[in-house]
Amino acid sequence: MSQSNIRFPKKFMWGASTSAHQVEGGQHNQWTVWELDNAKSLAARAPYHYEDLDSWSRVREQATTPSNYVSGRAVDHYNRYADDFDLLTQLNLNTFRFSIEWSRVEPEQGKWDAAAIEHYRDYLKALEARNITPVVTLFHFTLPVWFSELGGFEKRRNVKYFQNYVEKIITELGQHMKYIVTINEPEVYAAQSYHEGNWPPQRRSRWLTWRVLENQIAAHAQASRFIRTKSRKYQVSMAYSVSHVYAGDDALLSRWYARVFDELANHYVLRRSMRHNTYIGLNYYFSDRIYGYRVHNPNDELSDLGWDMQPQDIRYVLEDLSDRYNKPILITENGLADAEDESRQWWLTETIRAMHRARENGVNLLGYLHWSLLDNFEWDKGFWPKFGLVSVNRNTQERTIRPSARGYARVVSSVTKE
Ligand code: BGC
């Protein structure tokens, strides 16, 4: 990209994101229980879901093998985190988002695992030693088994258990933190687990979808109140999944439905939780083009997962969020599944240009965290989608920096000026 006119301030947060379950390995939570029960059927149903994808011939073998759907040792980040942090340094990145695994810290209700807490203390110190700012997520789709057996976020009375966990983490580890994401993508979690029925506990009910959303909003409010009372240094948000919604034609119906869709899919949770945020955590992956009552995307450029790629549209999301809510924004996730690394460099370039334009138009943008640092476990799709700046050979656990990541590192150092 021509960077001569593109500038980002020295304090801009450049980084990458992960979540515990997707990289750590060795988990025991509601997801691992579900994976073991469902690996065979997920593998058997893979052709039905993915055989139309351009990537299918490449991924078929992995996608039809049950072990693909079991997180197992994942990419062993639990043991290899120090080396992984060195990769961040090599890539000129100053920020890292990760999640703390609640099921490790509180494996039984009310019983805290001191060794697990110590692990995360060492982990945070290892980031500190490298001058890397942590962005800490407290709940990223995985729950202790005991909590999900009590009904998880389906029940309002269970919110207190999440609050106990939050208080424990802040009390023990808060001195090493500033940026906190209480809950990752509450709307995606509620929709996938309780509406689409794709994720555990695979219960399909409109009532439960709504309850789980509301209870996460309540959990966020309580957590944020506690955290901000402890210290004003903390910056708190959820990470919201927001798409750019636009009408594909001038028809009244398309324009009207685009507005309704945007309000429901993107702004319901944002509006209900905004007063408990000091910033906005934004996860942006795609746009939704509306024709009539349907999402119908151009699909000119597709990622390995078949997602329509419109990286430049992040600009509209940034400007809209900034206009509506007037808070600083941190891009907590953004990226694509691209095993061959064909489009990632282009994606990053387009995104950085769009961020620059949004900043010129007055958006207070704190930083950009690419999803993901490492190839990882992509939930019900398992390991075949490759989102990493760094690829991982899971037989040897060897890490290889992808060419696009080197490009990202070069851009970061050339656009960052006083
Ligand atoms: C989630 C990540 C996931 C990514 C790509 C987000 O919805 O927070 O955990 O890997 O999207 O699908």
Side-chain angles (χ1 to χ4, degrees):
M1 98 169 81
S2 152
Q3 290 119 24
S4 47
N5 59 347
I6 297 193
R7 292 274 179 284
F8 285 83
K10 252 233 136 53
K11 62 172 199 303
F12 196 78
M13 298 159 79
W14 291 106
S17 276
T18 56
S19 87
H21 189 75
Q22 295 178 272
V23 292
E24 282 186 349
Q27 307 287 4
H28 177 60
N29 55 36
Q30 107 280 22
W31 261 93
T32 49
V33 172
W34 183 82
E35 287 161 18
L36 294 170
D37 286 347
N38 288 275
K40 270 201 189 133
S41 66
L42 289 168
R45 277 187 281 129
Y48 169 77
H49 288 300
Y50 314 121
E51 73 185 351
D52 291 339
L53 300 178
D54 287 347
S55 57
W56 178 243
S57 57
R58 261 190 292 112
V59 304
R60 181 200 292 121
E61 200 184 320
Q62 199 177 359
T64 52
T65 306
S67 61
N68 172 66
Y69 300 92
V70 180
S71 58
R73 298 239 52 87
V75 293
D76 197 28
H77 176 70
Y78 197 77
N79 297 308
R80 291 167 198 260
Y81 66 86
D83 291 344
D84 290 340
F85 296 166
D86 289 340
L87 291 168
L88 293 166
T89 306
Q90 279 184 52
L91 293 174
N92 301 332
L93 302 180
N94 60 19
T95 307
F96 184 59
R97 175 173 172 231
F98 67 95
S99 70
I100 291 182
E101 179 61 33
W102 180 6
S103 62
R104 285 190 191 275
V105 170
E106 194 181 5
E108 288 173 55
Q109 192 217 312
K111 299 226 166 84
W112 304 103
D113 185 323
I117 294 174
E118 240 4 77
H119 168 87
Y120 286 115
R121 195 188 317 280
D122 292 343
Y123 189 99
L124 284 156
K125 282 187 182 164
L127 287 169
E128 226 160 62
R130 290 165 179 78
N131 265 322
I132 296 171
T133 303
V135 175
V136 185
T137 309
L138 298 172
F139 164 50
H140 194 129
F141 300 159
T142 50
L143 300 168
V145 173
W146 60 263
F147 180 77
S148 71
E149 282 174 357
L150 290 174
F153 283 107
E154 292 163 30
K155 305 224 166 79
R156 177 60 60 105
R157 64 169 179 271
N158 289 348
V159 168
K160 64 176 179 288
Y161 299 113
F162 179 69
Q163 182 67 7
N164 293 342
Y165 156 66
V166 172
E167 292 184 10
K168 181 74 177 175
I169 294 298
I170 298 301
T171 309
E172 293 274 353
L173 305 174
Q175 72 175 110
H176 305 285
M177 301 175 185
K178 175 174 172 190
Y179 289 92
I180 296 176
V181 172
T182 53
I183 296 180
N184 181 68
E185 297 188 347
E187 55 307 84
V188 173
Y189 174 72
Q192 291 291 335
S193 298
Y194 293 94
H195 184 66
E196 307 294 325
N198 291 331
W199 292 359
Q202 291 191 295
R203 299 186 63 187
R204 298 186 65 177
S205 139
R206 286 211 184 114
W207 161 251
L208 282 178
T209 307
W210 181 73
R211 285 311 298 159
V212 168
L213 259 189
E214 287 301 318
N215 290 337
Q216 289 179 99
I217 292 168
H220 171 66
Q222 273 187 37
S224 173
R225 242 179 262 125
F226 172 83
I227 295 168
R228 295 278 297 160
T229 310
K230 273 264 159 184
S231 160
R232 293 279 155 188
K233 77 161 181 174
Y234 292 117
Q235 301 303 312
V236 186
S237 179
M238 304 208 225
Y240 302 87
S241 168
V242 185
S243 64
H244 169 55
V245 181
Y246 63 105
D249 59 17
D250 273 346
L252 202 60
L253 179 62
S254 306
R255 284 188 290 140
W256 172 79
Y257 188 61
R259 272 214 306 280
V260 172
F261 186 90
D262 192 31
E263 284 304 316
L264 287 177
N266 292 323
H267 293 285
Y268 178 75
V269 184
L270 272 163
R271 235 182 299 103
R272 302 262 293 104
S273 52
M274 193 51 63
R275 68 197 175 91
H276 302 287
N277 294 339
T278 61
Y279 72 99
I280 302 172
L282 164 66
N283 294 358
Y284 170 81
Y285 287 93
F286 41 70
S287 296
D288 288 306
R289 186 177 68 178
I290 306 289
Y291 278 117
Y293 279 118
R294 285 194 317 135
V295 174
H296 184 81
N297 280 319
N299 291 343
D300 295 332
E301 304 273 356
L302 296 178
S303 75
D304 290 354
L305 273 166
W307 296 358
D308 187 43
M309 298 196 287
Q310 306 288 347
Q312 70 289 345
D313 285 355
I314 196 172
R315 173 184 162 195
Y316 304 119
V317 177
L318 291 169
E319 293 178 359
D320 183 39
L321 291 179
S322 175
D323 283 352
R324 286 186 195 230
Y325 305 112
N326 195 23
K327 297 221 161 137
I329 302 173
L330 174 63
I331 299 168
T332 36
E333 282 182 37
N334 172 265
L336 67 166
D338 179 15
E340 305 289 302
D341 207 32
E342 286 163 350
S343 308
R344 196 172 281 103
Q345 180 70 71
W346 160 79
W347 175 288
L348 281 158
T349 303
E350 290 298 316
T351 302
I352 293 169
R353 278 206 184 114
M355 289 171 7
H356 169 70
R357 291 201 189 102
R359 273 173 41 79
E360 281 189 329
N361 286 340
V363 174
N364 181 358
L365 186 59
L366 299 170
Y368 172 77
L369 312 181
H370 191 80
W371 184 273
S372 178
L373 177 65
L374 303 163
D375 284 347
N376 61 42
F377 181 75
E378 179 58 24
W379 306 113
D380 56 329
K381 302 179 182 66
F383 288 103
W384 71 258
K386 311 288 186 202
F387 276 90
L389 291 167
V390 176
S391 73
V392 181
N393 172 335
R394 288 192 57 246
N395 296 322
T396 59
Q397 294 294 356
E398 194 193 340
R399 274 72 168 142
T400 309
I401 295 179
R402 290 201 161 99
S404 59
R406 297 202 185 277
Y408 178 34
R410 279 194 298 275
V411 173
V412 167
S413 67
S414 72
V415 300
T416 308
K417 299 278 151 45
E418 288 297 351

